[in-house]
Amino acid sequence: VDLSAIGAIPEIESYFRGLFLMGGEPLLHPRIDDVITLTRRLLPHIRIVLATNGILLRRMGDKFWDALVNCGVEMQLSAYPINMDYCDLAEMARARGAYVNFAMDLTGRDTEKESFLKVAIDPDGQQDPIRSFNSCFFGGSFMQLSDGSLWNCQVAAHHGTLNAAFGWKMASQPSKSLSFAKDVRSGHRSPESYAKPANHRHSTYEA
């Protein structure tokens, strides 16, 4: 994604309360320190959070830690259900000057569970998309930037990956995503215009 295209949008920071640098796993990016620095340069005022599972954290060099601290970027650890001391990992990061918090369980101690997030998918479209959207933890609150477009649902943004993995046929709905190149920069649509339920057949109120 061309971050400069995002930063060039007038008053872009007024549309969002924060931005999460995610993945996959962002620490796998060979230039993650440059990504952090560029993101802060383009978005100087909003909250920026690096979301990571922390597995590679002890391997990160000074350039990474300097970028994180100097740019005021928070670190959010997703404590995977694996044999890893996430509390110790957080203390190590804090010793490097980073501001650290935990995702989902908020403590980093609940690593005995088999998963930390359950999202029910409804590929046959049997449930009410508005009710699903309003019940969803992510609905309308956690936008997903994918391939140059902003989606109002993280699941909908990756429908192609889900289709390939499970043999589903969930269709793309361009009206439910916002293209920075075609919509926002041209003034055709604004972020407010699509903050509505997307009929992406995603439900969180029934398994």
Side-chain angles (χ1 to χ4, degrees):
V1 174
D2 185 356
L3 286 171
S4 62
I6 301 173
I9 299 169
E11 299 182 353
I12 184 63
E13 289 186 307
S14 66
Y15 295 117
F16 309 105
R17 289 178 294 179
L19 182 143
F20 280 63
L21 298 173
M22 307 177 71
E25 171 51 49
L27 298 189
L28 287 170
H29 196 294
R31 297 177 60 193
I32 184 60
D33 51 300
D34 291 333
V35 172
I36 291 171
T37 302
L38 178 58
T39 303
R40 176 54 77 198
R41 184 184 307 149
L42 296 172
L43 303 169
H45 303 111
I46 68 171
R47 178 190 182 205
I48 300 176
V49 180
L50 177 79
T52 174
N53 59 34
I55 294 173
L56 299 176
L57 208 51
R58 295 188 186 278
R59 303 182 189 178
M60 305 307 292
D62 290 341
K63 285 185 65 178
F64 166 77
W65 293 107
D66 290 345
L68 197 74
V69 174
N70 294 337
C71 293
V73 172
E74 301 174 29
M75 178 183 296
Q76 186 175 91
L77 290 172
S78 297
Y80 278 21
I82 58 178
N83 184 24
M84 179 178 289
D85 188 339
Y86 275 95
C87 292
D88 184 65
L89 202 61
E91 288 306 311
M92 182 273 292
R94 291 178 181 127
R96 298 295 300 255
Y99 177 82
V100 184
N101 58 58
F102 291 96
M104 309 311 292
D105 68 13
L106 305 181
T107 67
R109 298 183 184 278
D110 189 10
T111 56
E112 299 300 321
K113 56 193 175 183
E114 294 182 358
S115 64
F116 59 81
L117 178 63
K118 178 181 180 181
V119 178
I121 307 296
D122 177 28
D124 296 324
Q126 299 299 310
Q127 302 189 48
D128 182 352
I130 295 178
R131 185 180 172 194
S132 294
F133 186 85
N134 291 335
S135 301
C136 182
F137 176 76
F138 300 108
S141 299
F142 293 88
M143 313 301 181
Q144 178 73 50
L145 183 61
S146 178
D147 295 326
S149 293
L150 194 67
W151 294 77
N152 61 3
C153 170
Q154 293 181 336
V155 176
H158 300 293
H159 68 277
T161 301
L162 292 169
N163 286 344
F166 299 103
W168 294 341
K169 296 181 180 180
M170 292 192 292
S172 172
Q173 290 185 295
S175 64
K176 299 306 180 185
S177 66
L178 192 69
S179 167
F180 279 101
K182 296 179 181 179
D183 296 325
V184 180
R185 297 189 75 181
S186 67
H188 179 61
R189 297 172 67 201
S190 69
E192 298 104 319
S193 67
Y194 87 118
K196 302 175 182 178
N199 188 21
H200 45 68
R201 298 177 179 180
H202 159 215
S203 170
T204 55
Y205 66 86
E206 277 186 34

mmCIF file of all heavy atoms in Angstrom, residues 35-52:
data_model
loop_
_atom_site.group_PDB
_atom_site.id
_atom_site.type_symbol
_atom_site.label_atom_id
_atom_site.label_comp_id
_atom_site.label_asym_id
_atom_site.label_seq_id
_atom_site.Cartn_x
_atom_site.Cartn_y
_atom_site.Cartn_z
ATOM 1 N N VAL A 35 8.644 1.627 7.915
ATOM 2 C CA VAL A 35 7.179 1.712 7.857
ATOM 3 C C VAL A 35 6.654 2.522 9.035
ATOM 4 O O VAL A 35 5.777 3.391 8.886
ATOM 5 C CB VAL A 35 6.544 0.301 7.854
ATOM 6 C CG1 VAL A 35 5.029 0.398 7.983
ATOM 7 C CG2 VAL A 35 6.923 -0.455 6.581
ATOM 8 N N ILE A 36 7.184 2.263 10.218
ATOM 9 C CA ILE A 36 6.771 3.002 11.421
ATOM 10 C C ILE A 36 7.070 4.494 11.259
ATOM 11 O O ILE A 36 6.208 5.348 11.523
ATOM 12 C CB ILE A 36 7.500 2.444 12.656
ATOM 13 C CG1 ILE A 36 7.005 1.037 12.975
ATOM 14 C CG2 ILE A 36 7.306 3.366 13.865
ATOM 15 C CD1 ILE A 36 7.824 0.323 14.037
ATOM 16 N N THR A 37 8.275 4.807 10.814
ATOM 17 C CA THR A 37 8.688 6.203 10.672
ATOM 18 C C THR A 37 7.848 6.932 9.641
ATOM 19 O O THR A 37 7.395 8.070 9.868
ATOM 20 C CB THR A 37 10.179 6.276 10.290
ATOM 21 O OG1 THR A 37 10.956 5.624 11.294
ATOM 22 C CG2 THR A 37 10.634 7.712 10.152
ATOM 23 N N LEU A 38 7.605 6.299 8.486
ATOM 24 C CA LEU A 38 6.821 6.921 7.428
ATOM 25 C C LEU A 38 5.374 7.116 7.863
ATOM 26 O O LEU A 38 4.773 8.160 7.589
ATOM 27 C CB LEU A 38 6.875 6.066 6.157
ATOM 28 C CG LEU A 38 6.061 6.582 4.966
ATOM 29 C CD1 LEU A 38 6.505 7.980 4.565
ATOM 30 C CD2 LEU A 38 6.176 5.617 3.785
ATOM 31 N N THR A 39 4.813 6.130 8.543
ATOM 32 C CA THR A 39 3.428 6.243 8.990
ATOM 33 C C THR A 39 3.265 7.422 9.944
ATOM 34 O O THR A 39 2.319 8.203 9.827
ATOM 35 C CB THR A 39 2.984 4.947 9.697
ATOM 36 O OG1 THR A 39 3.162 3.844 8.810
ATOM 37 C CG2 THR A 39 1.520 5.028 10.089
ATOM 38 N N ARG A 40 4.191 7.570 10.877
ATOM 39 C CA ARG A 40 4.107 8.707 11.803
ATOM 40 C C ARG A 40 4.313 10.028 11.094
ATOM 41 O O ARG A 40 3.654 11.035 11.412
ATOM 42 C CB ARG A 40 5.129 8.532 12.932
ATOM 43 C CG ARG A 40 5.192 9.713 13.891
ATOM 44 C CD ARG A 40 3.815 10.058 14.454
ATOM 45 N NE ARG A 40 3.391 9.148 15.495
ATOM 46 C CZ ARG A 40 2.118 9.028 15.891
ATOM 47 N NH1 ARG A 40 1.164 9.737 15.300
ATOM 48 N NH2 ARG A 40 1.787 8.185 16.853
ATOM 49 N N ARG A 41 5.191 10.068 10.106
ATOM 50 C CA ARG A 41 5.422 11.312 9.368
ATOM 51 C C ARG A 41 4.156 11.743 8.625
ATOM 52 O O ARG A 41 3.826 12.928 8.570
ATOM 53 C CB ARG A 41 6.566 11.119 8.379
ATOM 54 C CG ARG A 41 6.964 12.390 7.624
ATOM 55 C CD ARG A 41 8.026 12.086 6.591
ATOM 56 N NE ARG A 41 9.162 11.395 7.211
ATOM 57 C CZ ARG A 41 9.914 10.511 6.562
ATOM 58 N NH1 ARG A 41 9.639 10.204 5.290
ATOM 59 N NH2 ARG A 41 10.925 9.947 7.173
ATOM 60 N N LEU A 42 3.446 10.780 8.059
ATOM 61 C CA LEU A 42 2.240 11.099 7.296
ATOM 62 C C LEU A 42 1.026 11.344 8.185
ATOM 63 O O LEU A 42 0.112 12.064 7.805
ATOM 64 C CB LEU A 42 1.935 9.961 6.314
ATOM 65 C CG LEU A 42 2.989 9.720 5.224
ATOM 66 C CD1 LEU A 42 2.669 8.455 4.443
ATOM 67 C CD2 LEU A 42 3.056 10.925 4.280
ATOM 68 N N LEU A 43 1.028 10.720 9.357
ATOM 69 C CA LEU A 43 -0.089 10.850 10.293
ATOM 70 C C LEU A 43 0.485 11.281 11.638
ATOM 71 O O LEU A 43 0.635 10.481 12.552
ATOM 72 C CB LEU A 43 -0.835 9.520 10.408
ATOM 73 C CG LEU A 43 -1.385 8.936 9.095
ATOM 74 C CD1 LEU A 43 -1.866 7.506 9.300
ATOM 75 C CD2 LEU A 43 -2.511 9.809 8.555
ATOM 76 N N PRO A 44 0.809 12.558 11.794
ATOM 77 C CA PRO A 44 1.569 13.002 12.960
ATOM 78 C C PRO A 44 0.789 13.083 14.266
ATOM 79 O O PRO A 44 1.407 13.180 15.331
ATOM 80 C CB PRO A 44 2.066 14.394 12.546
ATOM 81 C CG PRO A 44 1.067 14.867 11.537
ATOM 82 C CD PRO A 44 0.631 13.642 10.794
ATOM 83 N N HIS A 45 -0.553 13.033 14.203
ATOM 84 C CA HIS A 45 -1.308 13.315 15.416
ATOM 85 C C HIS A 45 -2.122 12.150 15.973
ATOM 86 O O HIS A 45 -2.453 12.139 17.159
ATOM 87 C CB HIS A 45 -2.268 14.492 15.165
ATOM 88 C CG HIS A 45 -1.572 15.735 14.705
ATOM 89 N ND1 HIS A 45 -1.713 16.225 13.421
ATOM 90 C CD2 HIS A 45 -0.703 16.560 15.341
ATOM 91 C CE1 HIS A 45 -0.978 17.317 13.283
ATOM 92 N NE2 HIS A 45 -0.350 17.542 14.435
ATOM 93 N N ILE A 46 -2.466 11.173 15.161
ATOM 94 C CA ILE A 46 -3.352 10.119 15.644
ATOM 95 C C ILE A 46 -2.567 9.020 16.353
ATOM 96 O O ILE A 46 -1.347 8.912 16.235
ATOM 97 C CB ILE A 46 -4.189 9.502 14.501
ATOM 98 C CG1 ILE A 46 -3.305 8.708 13.529
ATOM 99 C CG2 ILE A 46 -4.982 10.563 13.771
ATOM 100 C CD1 ILE A 46 -4.117 7.916 12.526
ATOM 101 N N ARG A 47 -3.310 8.204 17.084
ATOM 102 C CA ARG A 47 -2.718 7.066 17.774
ATOM 103 C C ARG A 47 -2.299 6.007 16.747
ATOM 104 O O ARG A 47 -3.078 5.649 15.872
ATOM 105 C CB ARG A 47 -3.740 6.476 18.736
ATOM 106 C CG ARG A 47 -3.272 5.248 19.501
ATOM 107 C CD ARG A 47 -4.439 4.608 20.234
ATOM 108 N NE ARG A 47 -4.016 3.452 21.017
ATOM 109 C CZ ARG A 47 -4.812 2.454 21.355
ATOM 110 N NH1 ARG A 47 -6.094 2.467 20.977
ATOM 111 N NH2 ARG A 47 -4.364 1.437 22.073
ATOM 112 N N ILE A 48 -1.069 5.518 16.850
ATOM 113 C CA ILE A 48 -0.579 4.450 15.983
ATOM 114 C C ILE A 48 -0.139 3.287 16.870
ATOM 115 O O ILE A 48 0.584 3.482 17.847
ATOM 116 C CB ILE A 48 0.581 4.923 15.096
ATOM 117 C CG1 ILE A 48 0.138 6.082 14.199
ATOM 118 C CG2 ILE A 48 1.110 3.770 14.240
ATOM 119 C CD1 ILE A 48 1.257 6.677 13.360
ATOM 120 N N VAL A 49 -0.590 2.091 16.515
ATOM 121 C CA VAL A 49 -0.311 0.903 17.320
ATOM 122 C C VAL A 49 0.282 -0.182 16.423
ATOM 123 O O VAL A 49 -0.252 -0.468 15.353
ATOM 124 C CB VAL A 49 -1.594 0.363 17.990
ATOM 125 C CG1 VAL A 49 -1.277 -0.873 18.834
ATOM 126 C CG2 VAL A 49 -2.256 1.439 18.835
ATOM 127 N N LEU A 50 1.370 -0.776 16.857
ATOM 128 C CA LEU A 50 1.948 -1.933 16.182
ATOM 129 C C LEU A 50 1.418 -3.185 16.868
ATOM 130 O O LEU A 50 1.699 -3.420 18.052
ATOM 131 C CB LEU A 50 3.476 -1.895 16.262
ATOM 132 C CG LEU A 50 4.196 -3.098 15.650
ATOM 133 C CD1 LEU A 50 4.252 -2.953 14.135
ATOM 134 C CD2 LEU A 50 5.602 -3.230 16.216
ATOM 135 N N ALA A 51 0.633 -3.982 16.152
ATOM 136 C CA ALA A 51 0.045 -5.203 16.717
ATOM 137 C C ALA A 51 0.898 -6.399 16.312
ATOM 138 O O ALA A 51 1.090 -6.658 15.124
ATOM 139 C CB ALA A 51 -1.388 -5.374 16.220
ATOM 140 N N THR A 52 1.407 -7.128 17.290
ATOM 141 C CA THR A 52 2.323 -8.232 17.006
ATOM 142 C C THR A 52 2.086 -9.405 17.945
ATOM 143 O O THR A 52 1.618 -9.229 19.073
ATOM 144 C CB THR A 52 3.795 -7.770 17.149
ATOM 145 O OG1 THR A 52 4.664 -8.886 17.012
ATOM 146 C CG2 THR A 52 4.042 -7.108 18.493
#
